[in-house]
Amino acid sequence: DQLGKPELGRAPPGEQGRCPTLTEELVQARAELSSLRARAASPPSETHIQEPPAGCRRTLTFPTPLKGQHAIILTADNHSLLAFTACVWAKPSNGTNGTALFSYSTEGNHTQFQLYLASGWVQLSVGSTAVRGRAGPAERWTHYCGIWDGDSGSTTLVVDGQAVATCSPQSGPRTIPGRGEVRLGHRSGESHEGGDKAPTAFAGKLTGFNLWDSALTEVEVGRLLRGNGCDVKGNMVGWNISPV
């Protein structure tokens, strides 16, 4: 395990922000334990989805992790983001490691936020803040959501409807510049994380990417898993609506 076992929800060394508190760590640890128990008690067919959600219709396939292989989606509006929720269904291939599921970059090719997999962990990075939790298994469909609130700085990672990590750095309100593009299956441009060896290309299947300009609640994210999996569309990027 190249990343080692991180403390739940804590930003990697060198990143800014004081989060989480001991109380938050306890809440997060209990949440992860409850999630693991719930998954262990569920039948395999319910725990991990083998077929893509029917409502998503279109699926992007990345046969091999080729550099430069990705899909681009432009946001429907150019206004700055005061908050966001970004969700995607992913089915990585066996052996996939250090790979971006999605990223959002703005003018100058700077990555503002991204979600990526590495050594069994999934990490959401927003600027200098990062949260991570256990990823779903390879060759199975898993639903991932990243939620960020610019007023509080709260950054939350949700896996299959369960919040697995949360961080609220003590910093002032901020916004994410508009006029950006989303890349699926590849990191976009330069990261604000200090030029570390972040992931590049993805191998596997992606579908159902949606982006909202608001911070959805965990309950609202849970509703996205119901029905056909892609019935609710994002207002910034809507799967099967926004050109890819």
Side-chain angles (χ1 to χ4, degrees):
D1 192 328
Q2 296 176 357
L3 289 179
K5 184 174 182 180
E7 296 180 18
L8 182 63
R10 185 177 297 279
E15 295 190 345
Q16 301 174 1
R18 291 168 48 196
C19 57
T21 63
L22 291 176
T23 300
E24 289 171 334
E25 288 181 350
L26 180 59
V27 170
Q28 292 160 14
R30 287 174 174 171
E32 184 178 27
L33 179 59
S34 297
S35 176
L36 291 173
R37 286 174 174 170
R39 293 188 179 194
S42 301
S45 59
E46 296 180 5
T47 304
H48 304 304
I49 302 173
Q50 298 191 49
E51 298 298 327
C56 296
R57 291 166 33 198
R58 176 177 51 185
T59 298
L60 302 180
T61 300
F62 302 86
T64 56
L66 295 176
K67 183 177 181 180
Q69 177 180 259
H70 61 273
I72 294 179
I73 308 177
L74 300 180
T75 57
D77 197 299
N78 291 326
H79 66 263
S80 297
L81 296 175
L82 305 178
F84 75 78
T85 301
C87 299
V88 70
W89 287 93
K91 183 181 180 181
S93 300
N94 278 320
T96 298
N97 184 40
T99 177
L101 297 182
F102 64 74
S103 59
Y104 173 85
S105 64
T106 52
E107 187 175 359
N109 216 22
H110 294 298
T111 300
Q112 301 294 332
F113 62 83
Q114 64 179 343
L115 183 73
Y116 62 89
L117 300 174
S119 300
W121 296 89
V122 58
Q123 179 164 303
L124 170 69
S125 300
V126 184
S128 61
T129 300
V131 292
R132 65 178 73 172
R134 281 291 183 186
E139 301 294 345
R140 301 288 178 131
W141 285 100
T142 302
H143 190 249
Y144 297 103
C145 285
I147 306 170
W148 174 78
D149 186 332
D151 283 337
S152 64
S154 175
T155 305
T156 303
L157 174 62
V158 181
V159 179
D160 281 342
Q162 297 282 339
V164 297
T166 298
C167 178
S168 297
Q170 296 180 351
S171 58
R174 63 170 291 233
T175 61
I176 292 176
R179 300 181 181 276
E181 68 176 28
V182 173
R183 291 194 184 187
L184 301 179
H186 202 282
R187 176 184 173 180
S188 48
E190 299 177 2
S191 173
H192 285 175
E193 297 176 36
D196 58 349
K197 294 182 179 179
T200 52
F202 172 77
K205 296 181 179 181
L206 297 174
T207 190
F209 178 84
N210 286 284
L211 175 64
W212 292 263
D213 62 356
S214 61
L216 302 184
T217 65
E218 186 180 350
V219 173
E220 291 173 323
V221 169
R223 291 173 184 162
L224 302 179
L225 296 173
R226 301 173 187 171
N228 290 324
C230 289
D231 291 340
V232 182
K233 311 296 184 184
N235 66 318
M236 296 295 287
V237 172
W239 192 249
N240 292 327
I241 297 176
S242 301
V244 178

